[in-house]
């Protein structure tokens, strides 16, 4: 893993907070909890090149939990898919950075998402295409823990297993919170690992903020043959900003300029 | 000849599979009856049965389309367009992906399975989705050519096919033009604009009207979105009155599309024939069409009531 990974995640977190403050709306909590996973994918693991976006052999990433778009945009800007200044235009009518990812407006976005529960099916479709074409790319799909309450996730879980899609590697960003409260208060999603195991998946559970653990889990997932792997990432909603951590109220509220300043100081501090 | 449009779909897809290796087929445990099984037998590696899971069916097709495959995702029209509507909206139409949504067993001619299985609202629903093209072939010959056309066209398309066999009204030399309706019979007293298996009924009505000295123009409006505005306007200007007929609810489908065009650009009286804001029911398909007034008698009555 590159030596500046930690710095990259710090920059991404600062970008997330600042772009949300500039937008005046959006989803900080789930963007910050997913940040480290996305960072490892884009800067350590995925075979992607901003200069060759149509490369048929590139790895794909589907942000099923589309509301974490700021984390994806921070990674794409850092990677060079578009100018860093664009981040400030998030959610504006003239911006290519839509509130939820749009593959037709934003370079590097592989799939338009936003309506929860559809991303894993899309990832499966990408993997089936790769198999048909004898390509070796991997398809990564990041879901929320509230998102997996959607029935379609389990349709897709069944399909990935049925078709033995070992090039699908899914993450569940398990930050334990969704809009209306704790996961299991709203709807009992746990135990997540046993559910996926019962659907025929290989299951790994890791600390979703430990960069080495994320990297190792992806390596292990790639070594798994004949079935898909889900990495359940234990995360903290709002990770990195003290007043946002584990606070359900920060699911879908943007920080003020003052709050953003404090948050960025903490992150970079 | 004289076979169901779904049969033609299966044959065309299997033929296209030979020509274009990027064509893939997905179904939701209905391949034997949607006829995608014809493709599946020839190309088992390019056929994906998704089980009884229509949401997964549509979004998996979307994923395949992002990798330049041309997926035909088939199931009964009622499940495709109602159960998987959100997937068609957000994973296919919104990103403008090249997925062909194939709905079979549409309308009351689906028959004995009853109202739960007879899509009446599918045309209306699909028509409201930005980026979606909506095609309802009139017979087996047109259905086959429409499937070929769908494979050429890049973008989301909804193709509506019937369970019931119906008369063939085209000969093999017919050239399908995706964005232009077809004038099947000239006339200037009234225009009858039809789609699907209502087209042969419109031709029958025109024949009987001619015997009474009324010359009806018959238009096969196979593509309901984008509708051939020029042809609709020409019907309005030439004939002065229009009857529409479709095997679907009169709310939001072909009749509505025609009214939208004429009301803004050339107002003339329009009478819409279809399912009058009701669901279907069990019965023999052909008998149900008569019972719901989806026949030549009703067209003639409408023409005479202007």
């Amino acid at each position: 893993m590159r030596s500046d990974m930690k710095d990259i995640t710090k920059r991404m977190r600062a970008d997330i907070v600042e772009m949300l403050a500039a937008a005046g709306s959006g989803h900080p909590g789930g963007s910050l909890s997913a940040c480290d996973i996305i960072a490892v994918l884009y800067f350590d693991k995925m075979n992607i090149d901003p200069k060759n976006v149509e490369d048929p052999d590139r790895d794909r990433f589907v942000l099923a939990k589309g509301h974490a778009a700021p984390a994806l945009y921070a990674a794409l800007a850092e990677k060079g898919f578009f100018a860093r200044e664009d981040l400030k235009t998030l959610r504006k009518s003239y911006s290519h950075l839509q509130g939820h990812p749009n593959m037709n407006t934003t370079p590097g976005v592989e799939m338009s998402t936003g309506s929860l529960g559809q991303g894993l099916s899309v990832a499966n479709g990408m993997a089936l295409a790769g198999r048909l074409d004898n390509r070796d790319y991997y398809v990564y799909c990041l879901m929320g823990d509230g998102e997996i309450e959607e029935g379609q996730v389990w349709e897709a879980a069944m399909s990935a297993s049925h078709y033995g899609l070992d090039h699908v590697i899914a993450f569940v960003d398990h930050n334990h919170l969704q809009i209306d409260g704790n996961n299991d208060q709203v709807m009992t999603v746990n135990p997540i690992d046993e559910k996926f195991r019962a659907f025929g998946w290989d299951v790994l559970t890791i600390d979703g903020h430990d960069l080495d653990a994320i990297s190792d889990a992806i390596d292990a997932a790639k070594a798994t043959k004949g079935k898909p792997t889900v990495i359940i990432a234990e995360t903290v909603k709002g990770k990195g900003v003290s007043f946002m951590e584990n606070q359900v109220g920060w699911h879908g509220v943007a920080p003020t300029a003052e709050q953003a300043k404090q948050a960025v100081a903490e992150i970079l501090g | 000849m004289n076979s169901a449009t779904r049969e033609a779909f299966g044959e065309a897809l299997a033929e296209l599979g030979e020509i274009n290796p990027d064509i893939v087929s997905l179904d939701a445990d209905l391949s034997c009856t949607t006829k995608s099984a014809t493709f599946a037998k020839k190309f088992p590696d390019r056929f994906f049965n998704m089980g009884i899971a229509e949401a997964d069916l549509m979004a998996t097709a979307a994923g395949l389309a992002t990798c330049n495959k041309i997926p035909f995702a088939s199931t009964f029209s009622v499940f495709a367009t109602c159960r998987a509507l959100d997937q068609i909206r957000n994973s296919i139409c919104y990103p403008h992906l090249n997925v062909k949504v194939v709905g079979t067993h549409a309308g009351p001619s689906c028959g004995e399975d009853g109202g739960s299985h007879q899509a009446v609202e599918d045309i209306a629903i699909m028509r409201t989705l930005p980026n979606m093209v909506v095609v309802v072939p009139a017979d087996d010959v047109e259905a086959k050519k429409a499937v070929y056309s769908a494979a050429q066209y890049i973008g989301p398309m909804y193709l509506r096919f019937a369970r019931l066999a119906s008369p063939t009204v085209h000969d093999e030399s017919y050239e399908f033009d995706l964005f232009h309706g077809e004038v099947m019979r000239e006339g200037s007293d009234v225009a009858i604009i039809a789609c699907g298996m209502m087209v042969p009924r419109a031709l029958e009505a025109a024949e009987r009207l001619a015997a009474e000295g009324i010359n009806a123009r018959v238009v096969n409006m196979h593509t309901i979105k984008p509708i051939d505005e020029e042809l609709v306007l020409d019907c309005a200007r030439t004939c002065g009155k229009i009857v529409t007929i479709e095997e679907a609810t009169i709310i939001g489908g072909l009749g509505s599309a025609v009214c939208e065009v004429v009301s803004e650009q050339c107002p003339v009286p329009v009478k819409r024939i279809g399912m009058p804001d009701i669901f279907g029911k069990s019965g023999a398909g052909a008998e149900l069409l008569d019972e719901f007034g989806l026949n030549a008698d009703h067209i003639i009555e409408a023409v005479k009531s202007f």
Side-chain angles (χ1 to χ4, degrees), chain B residues 72-94:
Chain B
F72 282 72
S74 49
T75 180
F76 287 180
S77 52
V78 71
F79 306 136
T81 64
C82 297
R83 194 178 188 107
L85 173 58
D86 186 26
Q87 287 71 26
I88 294 175
R89 182 197 188 277
N90 278 303
S91 288
I92 296 174
C93 289
Y94 179 58

Side-chain angles (χ1 to χ4, degrees), chain B residues 8-201:
Chain B
F9 158 65
E11 286 169 22
L13 195 63
E15 288 173 16
L16 276 164
E18 296 275 10
I19 300 165
N20 189 339
D22 286 331
I23 288 177
V24 295
S25 163
L26 302 88
D27 208 295
D29 193 36
L30 289 169
S31 64
C32 294
T33 186
T34 64
K35 300 302 173 186
S36 64
T38 315
F39 179 95
K41 280 191 198 88
K42 266 174 89 177
F43 307 101
D45 294 342
R46 284 150 61 192
F47 172 77
F48 304 103
N49 204 327
M50 304 312 295
I52 307 166
E54 294 78 12
D56 192 37
L57 167 77
M58 294 304 168
T60 304
L64 281 152
T66 66
C67 301
N68 296 319
K69 299 298 170 193
I70 306 172
F72 282 72
S74 49
T75 180
F76 287 180
S77 52
V78 71
F79 306 136
T81 64
C82 297
R83 194 178 188 107
L85 173 58
D86 186 26
Q87 287 71 26
I88 294 175
R89 182 197 188 277
N90 278 303
S91 288
I92 296 174
C93 289
Y94 179 58
H96 200 280
L97 288 171
N98 193 21
V99 176
K100 314 306 166 186
V101 176
V102 176
T104 67
H105 295 62
S109 66
C110 162
E112 288 80 356
D113 279 352
S116 60
H117 281 54
Q118 298 164 0
V120 294
E121 62 286 87
D122 56 321
I123 299 174
I125 293 171
M126 290 296 103
R127 201 168 74 84
T128 60
L129 294 171
N131 294 334
M132 188 60 121
V133 170
V134 178
V135 178
V136 186
D139 62 12
D140 50 0
V141 170
E142 185 170 61
K144 204 161 176 179
K145 291 174 189 278
V147 173
Y148 272 80
S149 177
Q152 293 282 323
Y153 173 79
I154 297 169
M157 184 183 290
Y158 173 59
L159 292 147
R160 185 191 216 233
F161 299 119
R163 167 176 175 258
L164 193 67
S166 61
T168 300
V169 292
H170 293 98
D171 59 45
E172 293 293 341
S173 65
Y174 169 61
E175 284 181 27
F176 179 76
D177 183 350
L178 179 59
F179 295 120
H180 292 96
E182 178 198 13
V183 178
M184 299 199 71
R185 181 188 177 108
E186 266 306 351
S188 57
D189 295 333
V190 62
I192 305 167
I193 304 180
C195 65
M197 69 169 71
M198 295 300 104
V199 171
R201 284 151 199 257

Side-chain angles (χ1 to χ4, degrees), chain A residues 36-57:
Chain A
D36 296 309
I37 299 164
I38 293 174
V40 172
L41 285 172
Y42 275 84
F43 300 100
D44 185 42
K45 287 289 179 263
M46 280 171 57
N47 168 36
I48 45 163
D49 178 1
K51 292 186 190 68
N52 191 9
V53 290
E54 296 293 328
D55 179 4
D57 289 314

Side-chain angles (χ1 to χ4, degrees), chain A residues 104 115 118 121 133 152 159 163, chain B residues 49 56 69 86-87 91 95:
Chain A
N104 293 317
S115 179
Q118 303 186 22
S121 301
D133 291 343
Q152 187 184 345
S159 303
Y163 285 104
Chain B
N49 204 327
D56 192 37
K69 299 298 170 193
D86 186 26
Q87 287 71 26
S91 288

Side-chain angles (χ1 to χ4, degrees), chain B residues 276-289:
Chain B
D277 196 20
I278 55 168
F279 289 112
K281 61 173 192 176
S282 287
E287 289 168 19
L288 287 175
L289 293 179

